[in-house]
Amino acid sequence: MGTGTLTIDLDALAANWRALDRLSADSVETAAVVKADGYGLGAGRVAKALAAAGARRFFVAVAEEGAAVRNALGPGPEICVFSGHMAGDTEMLHDLQLTPMLNSVEQLTRHVESLPGHPFGIQLDSGMNRLGMEPAEWASVAELALSLSPRLLMSHLACADEPDHAANARQLAAFREMTDGLDVPRSLGATGGILLGPDYHFDLTRPGIGLYGGLPFEAASAVVCLSLPVIQTRELAAGETVGYGCTWRADAPARIATVSGGYADGLIRAMGPRARLYFGDTPCPVAGRVSMDLITVDVSHLDEIPAALDILCPAQGVDALAEAAGTIGYEILTSLGARYERRFIGG
């Protein structure tokens, strides 16, 4: 075993979807966001497990991501594309039956001219200033767009993971102002929006990070474990150093384990000084810098030489590891490298 083993629990993934579905208000459809290759876990396997749990609408970032999802699910489930109808997307949108979430008058024009009658939705900018039509732009084309029966009107919250942030109420009011009274399904809440309560649920919620075990869904079941094999151990005398820059020095005789994994595998270099790996429930501190392919770990306190150490496990989930790296769980998940052996359980 030369690479790490990334274990993905599809039953936990499905349980998280069902839990978020229960938290969504009655009569609200719960979709699933599977962009970035299913948050790094494999969009095809993830989508199939979520479809089996009951999801019928899926969201990806760009049209190219829709291919793996459509291949996994076959015809039927709706696959929506956040980036809308970009230049060059027409054939793929048509052939894979993808639903673009149009973001501008330019995209609306492109879609109507190149794929007349093809389903679409519209993304509105309620204050995030990222994607979507701003209120004035929407007002200028709303009559035309609505006459073509869009599948969905959606917007995205900037601060939903901070329940008390004033931006949430401002965006809710802006979204309502643009859409109240229109006979079109609406969507505002992703994982954080679901947790904000029914006012943010509208007709469809679209959880993402919460499905994969990440915050702000604190009740989520852990979906991933990552075990890294130990390549070599060595005994150090007091005063010897480890790794690039000689940044770690043994205060006393020490045993160092070198594991297979590094920043080329998504184990971010910045996590080095604060990260832990685990042997069962026992934490083992990183010794020195995370390098491209290797991490050195102080295992002096273990009673045995480990064959492998875990960096994602029940004792240290994606958000705890992200905190050590000064980042967010999303980045940890979506950075998990291609060299790992992916092992799916459940589903």
Side-chain angles (χ1 to χ4, degrees), residues 33-301:
V33 179
V34 294
K35 63 182 180 175
D37 192 29
Y39 281 56
L41 304 184
R45 294 294 296 269
V46 162
K48 287 181 72 171
L50 292 169
R56 291 293 174 266
R57 192 175 331 204
F58 298 83
F59 287 83
V60 296
V62 293
E64 288 80 359
E65 290 185 340
V69 181
R70 181 60 75 206
N71 288 339
L73 299 180
E78 186 165 12
I79 301 171
C80 301
V81 181
F82 285 133
S83 64
H85 191 151
M86 298 175 66
D89 281 354
T90 301
E91 186 174 341
M92 190 172 293
L93 293 172
H94 175 269
D95 292 349
L96 297 175
Q97 285 299 293
L98 307 177
T99 303
M101 304 305 299
L102 306 178
N103 291 291
S104 64
V105 172
E106 177 188 16
Q107 288 197 349
L108 177 63
T109 302
R110 178 182 296 129
H111 189 73
V112 170
E113 291 179 351
S114 61
L115 287 177
H118 186 93
F120 69 96
I122 291 176
Q123 189 158 194
L124 302 173
D125 181 10
S126 56
M128 193 172 187
N129 288 310
R130 198 173 62 167
L131 283 181
M133 298 187 194
E134 296 184 6
E137 186 180 13
W138 170 235
S140 70
V141 296
E143 185 175 354
L144 167 64
L146 293 169
S147 73
L148 300 171
S149 301
R151 298 272 300 150
L152 186 70
L153 300 177
M154 66 160 282
S155 191
H156 192 56
L157 295 166
C159 302
D161 56 347
E162 301 177 54
D164 298 327
H165 201 293
N168 295 320
R170 287 199 304 269
Q171 285 195 254
L172 176 62
F175 185 60
R176 283 196 171 281
E177 189 172 340
M178 286 188 279
T179 62
D180 273 356
L182 303 180
D183 188 22
V184 181
R186 294 183 287 178
S187 177
L188 180 61
T191 300
I194 293 172
L195 301 176
L196 289 176
D199 286 350
Y200 291 82
H201 294 177
F202 292 92
D203 302 292
L204 178 136
T205 58
R206 20 173 241 281
I209 190 65
L211 302 177
Y212 306 94
L215 294 174
F217 187 32
E218 294 182 0
S221 299
V223 174
V224 295
C225 291
L226 178 57
S227 183
L228 304 176
V230 174
I231 302 173
Q232 186 178 10
T233 58
R234 66 181 64 245
E235 306 293 331
L236 270 62
E240 288 193 276
T241 61
V242 174
Y244 286 118
C246 299
T247 58
W248 189 90
R249 184 180 301 274
D251 295 329
R255 176 181 295 133
I256 299 297
T258 299
V259 300
S260 179
Y263 57 76
D265 304 294
L267 302 175
I268 298 166
R269 187 172 180 269
M271 70 176 60
R274 294 174 295 279
R276 301 289 182 269
L277 282 77
Y278 282 80
F279 184 62
D281 295 326
T282 304
C284 304
V286 171
R289 293 178 180 170
V290 173
S291 52
M292 184 183 293
D293 314 298
L294 303 169
I295 301 174
T296 40
V297 186
D298 184 359
V299 295
S300 308
H301 55 301

